[in-house]
Amino acid sequence: MSFSNNKELAENKLILLYIVDKIGMPVSNTHLTRIILENKFMNYFLLQQFLKELCDSGFLEHKETEGKSLYSITDTGKQTLSYFHHLIPAGIKGIIDNTVSDVKRTIKNETLITANFVPESENEYTVQCKINEDSFSLIDLKISVGTKNDARLICDNWKQHSQSIYTEIIEILTRKRG
């Protein structure tokens, strides 16, 4: 491998460390992929290879949570980034810095609003819908439904319209009944 290939390899791994560090919270493979591909930093296959190598080397930590692959930077990764961040071109840092605030907002919204379902039997599914604000739970709703399609529809509606659904539930529950 030539010097320029090694330099590009190191730069790409540093870019990944920089993104995860800047986001400052566990970030999904999906979000990382979106940032990398939208900005044409590297191709999808290199991204996946580098993520695995960074985890294997102890620079990133990988966890599976609620079916998502989440990455966070380790202390070793932070230390390495502090030594070599100057190798990331300033233009790329600028693009990342501008992109990170939108991604952080999206991640926070996704962690605040959750909807999942679990099959209990062939004709029964338990759906759990939540809205959390900081460490406080605004609503934690469990519903049993008869079909997988209903469970999926409830989850999709909750994820897309949770604020208005929450407001409707509160209005219905606080309405004076005659």
Side-chain angles (χ1 to χ4, degrees):
M1 200 179 279
S2 71
F3 173 75
S4 64
N5 285 347
N6 283 337
K7 184 176 186 262
E8 185 178 340
L9 177 106
E11 184 179 292
N12 284 336
K13 288 182 178 181
L14 287 168
I15 287 169
L16 287 172
L17 290 176
Y18 187 78
I19 291 169
V20 175
D21 186 53
K22 276 293 184 180
I23 290 175
M25 64 182 82
V27 60
S28 72
N29 191 308
T30 304
H31 286 112
L32 284 172
T33 301
R34 196 182 96 225
I35 293 168
I36 295 296
L37 296 181
E38 282 179 1
N39 294 293
K40 298 178 174 80
F41 292 144
M42 65 190 85
N43 72 47
Y44 174 82
F45 300 104
L46 285 176
L47 165 64
Q48 298 309 315
Q49 176 188 334
F50 294 155
L51 285 172
K52 182 178 180 341
E53 289 174 6
L54 287 167
C55 289
D56 291 346
S57 303
F59 298 118
L60 288 179
E61 183 178 55
H62 174 258
K63 287 184 182 171
E64 286 288 329
T65 307
E66 294 181 10
K68 288 183 182 177
S69 290
L70 296 176
Y71 295 91
S72 42
I73 192 165
T74 64
D75 290 339
T76 304
K78 285 179 185 265
Q79 189 174 31
T80 301
L81 184 61
S82 74
Y83 293 145
F84 298 108
H85 69 90
H86 63 279
L87 297 175
I88 303 170
I92 290 176
K93 280 186 189 174
I95 291 168
I96 292 167
D97 293 347
N98 290 334
T99 306
V100 161
S101 61
D102 291 339
V103 173
K104 281 173 106 167
R105 189 171 29 260
T106 302
I107 292 169
K108 280 190 173 185
N109 285 340
E110 287 177 1
T111 55
L112 293 175
I113 299 165
T114 59
N116 301 298
F117 67 90
V118 177
E120 300 295 337
S121 68
E122 192 174 317
N123 295 321
E124 185 183 3
Y125 296 83
T126 300
V127 181
Q128 184 170 20
C129 302
K130 289 183 185 182
I131 300 177
N132 292 317
E133 199 168 273
D134 298 321
S135 61
F136 180 74
S137 179
L138 287 177
I139 189 169
D140 185 350
L141 181 65
K142 279 190 180 180
I143 306 167
S144 290
V145 295
T147 69
K148 191 175 198 173
N149 285 340
D150 285 348
R152 276 195 188 119
L153 182 60
I154 291 168
C155 288
D156 290 345
N157 280 334
W158 187 259
K159 288 174 183 174
Q160 293 174 16
H161 308 287
S162 60
Q163 293 305 118
S164 61
I165 294 170
Y166 172 76
T167 302
E168 288 175 34
I169 290 170
I170 295 301
E171 286 173 0
I172 290 168
L173 292 174
T174 57
R175 186 180 324 138
K176 189 164 180 119
R177 308 261 177 212

